[in-house]
C-alpha cells in the first residue's frame, strides 16, 4: 500500500497516474489480471459474469469514468483497501472493511481470499460460464469483440430511421433522432481521447469515406446522414482502443472526414447547432493527425455554417483561418478558402460595407489562381475536393451579391452547364442565385417564378432546409423591394409543400 501511495504521489503530478492505477502498478499486474479476479469474485458470490473488461477498467484508471457501487466494491475487495485509497470518497456499499491484515485498514469482508498477498495471485482466471444464455454471453466484455457489441440506442434509432426511409415511409426528424445524432457525436469525442484494426480494414474505410463524396448531393440528406453516421459509429468503436501511431492517424483522419461530412449534412437540414458540434468533433480528430491540410479543410468547410445560417463576418474569419492553415502549397482549402472569403465579402457588401466589394474581387482572383494549380486528385468531388463547378458557382454568387447581376447571371449560367442533374443541392442554389439576379435587374415576378421552379424541380426528399431557407430569403427580398405582389401568395404556397427539415429550421409561415 505504501508503494502504491508513493507511485501516486510521484507519478500523479507528472503523468496523471490515478490512485487506482497506482495500486495495480504497485503489484505489477496487468489489466487482464484484475478483470479476471473481479470475475472470479463474482463467481464466488454466485453472481452472473460481469461486463467489466480491460477497456472499462482502463477508463476508471484514466479518470474518464467512475466505477459504480458494485464494481467499486469488488475493486476494493481485490486490492484489499477502502474506496478512499483508490481515490473515491464515498464509502463502499457493503458497509464492511476491505483492508488486509496489518495494513491499517479495516478487516476484509467474508469471502475474499486472504492469500497469497499479491493482487495478481488472489484467484485464478475462471473458465467461461457455459450455462450463461446466448444473449448474456453476447453482452460480455466488449474488449474481447469490440465490433459485435457496444451497439447503443443511437444505432437503433438510426437503423430504424433508415429502414423507414427505405420503405418509403414519412420520417419526422424529431428530438429523439437529433438526440441520437448528437449522442453519437459525443461518444466519438469521448473515444478520441482514449483510443485493433488492420491496414486492410482502414483501406476499406477510406474507400467508403471517399465514396460518400461522390454521392453526397445525389442522395437525400436524411438518408445520407443515416448511412454516414452508421459508419461513423463503427469507426468510433474502432477508435475505442489505442492503435499503432500510423494506424491511429489514419483512423482519426477517417473520423474527421465523416464528422465533417455529417456537419455538412446538418447544414443542409438546417440545424446549425449540430453542424457546429460535428465540426468541433472533426477538429478534435484532425488535430490528432498533425495534418495541417486536413485541419484547413475542416475549417473551410465549417465556414459554410455561418455563411448560410449566421454572420458572414464569422465565415470570413474561418475562411482566412483555413488559408493560414493551408499554407502556400496548392490544396483544397487553399483554393476554397479565398472563394468562401469572396462570398462572405460579397454578403457584407450587400449589407452596405463599402470596402468589401474590391476585397471580394481580389479574393476571387486569388482563389481562381490557386484552383488552376490543383491536381486532378483535388478536383474530383464536391466534398473532399473543390471542383470547377463549385469555383464557378462561388464566383457567380459573389458577383450577384456585389450587385453585378449581368456578370453574375452569365457566370451562373455557365455553372449550370457544369453541374450534373444529380448535384441537387448546389444545382438548386445556382438556380436560386439566378433568381436573385432577376430581382437585382428589377424583375420581382421573374425572380419568384425562377425560385419556385427551382424548388418544384426537386423531389420532396431532396427539398432540404438550406434550399427552402434560400428560397424564402428571395421571397422576403421581393416583398421588401416590390411590396406585397400577388405572386407572393402563390410563391409561399409552393414553398409550403413537403420538405425535409430539422426542428431547428424556421417555420415558413413566419418568414417575411
Amino acid at each position: 500500500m505504501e508503494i502504491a501511495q508513493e507511485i501516486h504521489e510521484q507519478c500523479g503530478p507528472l503523468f496523471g497516474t490515478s490512485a487506482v492505477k497506482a495500486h495495480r502498478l504497485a503489484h505489477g499486474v496487468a489489466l487482464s489480471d484484475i478483470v479476471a479476479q473481479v470475475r472470479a469474485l463474482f463467481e464466488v458470490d454466485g453472481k452472473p459474469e460481469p461486463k467489466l473488461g480491460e477497456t472499462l477498467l482502463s477508463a476508471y484508471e484514466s479518470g474518464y469514468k467512475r466505477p459504480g457501487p458494485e464494481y467499486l466494491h469488488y475493486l476494493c475487495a481485490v486490492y484489499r483497501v477502502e474506496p478512499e485509497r483508490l481515490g473515491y470518497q464515498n464509502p463502499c456499499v457493503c458497509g464492511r472493511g476491505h483492508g488486509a491484515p496489518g495494513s491499517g485498514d479495516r478487516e476484509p469482508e467474508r469471502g475474499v481470499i486472504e492469500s497469497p498477498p499479491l493482487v495478481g495471485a488472489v484467484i485464478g482466471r475462471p473458465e467461461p460460464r457455459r450455462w450463461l444464455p446466448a444473449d448474456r454471453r453476447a453482452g460480455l466484455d466488449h474488449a474481447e469483440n469490440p465490433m459485435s457489441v457496444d451497439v447503443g440506442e443511437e444505432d437503433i434509432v438510426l437503423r430504424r430511421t433508415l429502414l423507414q426511409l427505405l420503405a418509403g415511409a414519412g420520417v419526422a426528424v424529431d428530438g429523439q433522432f437529433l438526440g441520437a445524432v448528437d449522442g453519437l457525436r459525443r461518444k466519438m469525442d469521448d473515444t478520441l481521447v482514449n483510443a485493433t484494426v488492420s491496414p486492410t480494414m482502414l483501406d476499406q474505410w477510406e474507400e467508403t469515406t471517399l465514396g460518400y463524396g461522390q454521392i453526397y448531393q445525389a442522395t437525400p440528406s436524411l438518408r445520407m446522414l443515416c448511412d454516414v453516421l452508421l459508419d461513423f459509429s463503427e469507426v468510433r468503436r474502432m477508435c475505442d482502443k489505442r492503435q499503432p501511431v500510423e494506424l491511429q492517424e489514419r483512423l482519426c483522419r477517417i473520423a474527421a472526414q465523416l464528422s465533417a461530412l455529417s456537419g455538412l449534412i446538418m447544414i443542409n437540414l438546417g440545424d446549425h447547432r449540430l453542424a457546429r458540434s460535428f465540426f468541433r468533433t472533426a477538429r478534435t480528430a484532425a488535430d490528432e493527425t498533425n495534418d495541417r491540410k486536413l485541419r484547413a479543410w475542416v475549417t473551410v468547410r465549417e465556414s459554410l455554417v455561418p455563411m448560410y445560417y449566421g454572420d458572414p463576418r464569422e465565415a470570413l474569419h474561418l475562411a482566412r483561418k483555413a488559408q493560414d492553415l493551408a499554407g502556400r502549397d496548392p490544396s483544397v482549402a487553399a483554393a476554397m478558402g479565398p472563394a468562401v472569403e469572396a462570398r462572405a465579402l460579397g454578403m457584407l457588401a450587400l449589407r452596405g460595407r463599402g470596402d468589401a466589394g474590391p476585397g471580394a474581387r481580389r479574393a476571387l482572383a486569388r482563389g481562381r489562381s490557386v484552383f488552376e494549380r490543383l491536381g486532378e486528385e483535388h478536383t474530383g468531388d464536391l466534398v473532399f475536393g473543390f471542383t470547377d463547378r463549385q469555383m464557378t458557382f462561388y464566383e457567380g454568387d459573389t458577383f450577384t451579391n456585389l450587385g453585378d447581376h449581368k456578370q453574375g447571371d452569365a457566370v451562373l449560367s455557365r455553372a449550370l452547364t457544369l453541374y450534373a442533374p444529380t448535384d441537387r443541392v448546389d444545382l438548386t442554389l445556382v438556380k436560386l442565385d439566378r433568381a436573385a439576379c432577376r430581382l437585382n435587374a428589377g424583375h420581382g415576378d421573374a425572380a419568384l417564378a425562377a425560385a419556385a421552379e427551382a424548388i418544384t424541380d426537386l423531389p420532396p426528399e431532396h427539398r432540404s432546409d438550406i434550399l427552402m431557407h434560400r428560397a424564402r430569403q428571395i421571397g422576403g427580398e421581393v416583398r421588401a423591394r416590390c411590396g406585397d405582389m400577388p405572386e407572393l401568395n402563390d410563391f409561399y404556397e409552393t414553398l409550403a409543400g413537403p420538405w425535409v427539415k430539422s426542428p431547428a429550421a424556421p417555420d415558413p409561415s413566419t418568414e417575411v
Side-chain angles (χ1 to χ4, degrees), residues 221-442:
S221 294
L222 194 55
R223 165 67 189 277
M224 186 76 175
L225 182 66
C226 291
D227 287 337
V228 170
L229 286 183
L230 286 172
D231 286 333
F232 185 71
S233 182
E234 294 292 330
V235 172
R236 183 195 68 80
R237 283 191 279 272
M238 288 190 289
C239 287
D240 202 36
K241 280 195 169 183
R242 278 291 171 188
Q243 317 293 341
V245 173
E246 64 278 4
L247 298 185
Q248 183 179 337
E249 287 188 359
R250 291 176 63 186
L251 198 56
C252 287
R253 169 179 289 275
I254 296 171
Q257 291 173 326
L258 289 176
S259 186
L261 179 54
S262 300
L264 290 175
I265 298 172
M266 295 313 301
I267 295 175
N268 293 347
L269 292 175
D271 195 325
H272 56 85
R273 184 191 66 82
L274 271 176
R276 290 177 185 275
S277 297
F278 270 110
F279 280 114
R280 184 171 64 247
T281 300
R283 290 200 307 270
T284 301
D287 287 345
E288 292 291 315
T289 67
N290 293 318
D291 185 340
R292 288 177 62 90
K293 286 184 170 56
L294 177 62
R295 293 165 61 194
W297 173 80
V298 170
T299 303
V300 76
R301 284 298 180 180
E302 184 180 2
S303 68
L304 297 181
V305 181
M307 174 73 69
Y308 288 105
Y309 291 104
D311 189 337
R313 291 174 297 182
E314 183 186 357
L316 179 63
H317 168 73
L318 288 172
R320 288 173 173 172
K321 180 180 178 182
Q323 294 173 67
D324 291 340
L325 286 169
R328 296 183 177 181
D329 295 334
S331 65
V332 172
M336 184 175 176
V340 174
E341 178 184 345
R343 292 183 68 184
L345 287 170
M347 295 174 69
L348 291 172
L350 193 62
R351 298 182 181 188
R353 180 169 161 177
D355 62 336
R361 295 179 184 274
R362 288 194 298 269
L364 276 185
R366 191 168 67 252
R368 175 59 76 172
S369 174
V370 177
F371 176 80
E372 297 295 343
R373 292 186 288 145
L374 289 181
E376 293 183 1
E377 70 276 12
H378 294 140
T379 59
D381 66 69
L382 299 170
V383 175
F384 304 113
F386 191 55
T387 64
D388 185 33
R389 54 192 185 275
Q390 285 174 302
M391 185 70 216
T392 305
F393 163 39
Y394 283 26
E395 289 171 333
D397 181 80
T398 301
F399 291 134
T400 300
N401 287 333
L402 293 178
D404 190 347
H405 62 87
K406 289 185 178 180
Q407 187 172 4
D409 190 61
V411 175
L412 291 169
S413 297
R414 177 175 177 269
L416 285 178
T417 67
L418 299 176
Y419 278 100
T422 54
D423 297 332
R424 299 184 187 273
V425 177
D426 280 5
L427 190 62
T428 305
L429 288 172
V430 170
K431 293 178 179 179
L432 292 171
D433 268 7
R434 293 195 71 201
C437 287
R438 287 168 170 77
L439 177 60
N440 289 338

Side-chain angles (χ1 to χ4, degrees), residues 34-252:
I34 302 301
V35 171
Q37 291 166 45
V38 171
R39 289 180 177 177
L41 291 178
F42 266 74
E43 186 171 357
V44 168
D45 289 345
K47 295 182 178 181
E49 190 170 350
K51 295 182 180 180
L52 178 69
E54 295 176 38
T55 301
L56 185 56
L57 184 57
S58 176
Y60 295 160
E61 292 186 351
S62 60
Y64 292 118
K65 291 188 178 181
R66 178 187 176 90
E70 186 176 41
Y71 284 169
L72 177 59
H73 164 72
Y74 282 99
L75 286 174
C76 290
V78 168
Y79 288 121
R80 303 183 180 184
V81 296
E82 301 308 311
E84 60 265 28
R85 299 284 188 175
L86 299 180
Y88 306 110
Q89 299 304 315
N90 295 336
C92 184
V93 293
C94 70
R96 298 190 295 270
H98 296 282
S103 67
D105 286 317
R106 289 177 289 177
E107 291 296 318
E109 63 179 302
R110 182 175 58 83
V112 177
I113 297 176
E114 295 292 341
S115 61
L118 289 179
V119 173
V122 168
I123 194 161
R125 185 185 298 272
E127 292 295 321
R129 299 297 294 270
R130 303 294 182 185
W131 49 267
L132 285 176
D135 58 342
R136 273 284 297 150
R137 290 198 302 272
L140 295 179
D141 177 22
H142 74 273
E144 297 177 2
N145 188 3
M147 298 302 291
S148 64
V149 292
D150 192 22
V151 177
E153 179 65 26
E154 297 87 359
D155 302 75
I156 296 172
V157 172
L158 288 168
R159 291 183 189 279
R160 181 171 63 240
T161 302
L162 181 58
L163 288 173
Q164 291 172 343
L165 289 169
L166 292 175
V171 176
V173 185
D174 54 14
Q176 183 186 28
F177 178 82
L178 292 177
V181 170
D182 197 36
L184 184 56
R185 182 196 61 79
R186 291 176 183 273
K187 285 186 175 181
M188 177 61 83
D189 277 344
D190 291 340
T191 54
L192 279 171
V193 295
N194 291 329
T196 290
V197 56
S198 67
T200 301
M201 181 181 294
L202 284 177
D203 290 342
Q204 294 171 351
W205 280 110
E206 287 169 346
E207 291 177 6
T208 298
T209 301
L210 293 177
Y212 282 131
Q214 303 294 328
I215 63 172
Y216 162 62
Q217 295 205 8
T219 307
S221 294
L222 194 55
R223 165 67 189 277
M224 186 76 175
L225 182 66
C226 291
D227 287 337
V228 170
L229 286 183
L230 286 172
D231 286 333
F232 185 71
S233 182
E234 294 292 330
V235 172
R236 183 195 68 80
R237 283 191 279 272
M238 288 190 289
C239 287
D240 202 36
K241 280 195 169 183
R242 278 291 171 188
Q243 317 293 341
V245 173
E246 64 278 4
L247 298 185
Q248 183 179 337
E249 287 188 359
R250 291 176 63 186
L251 198 56
C252 287

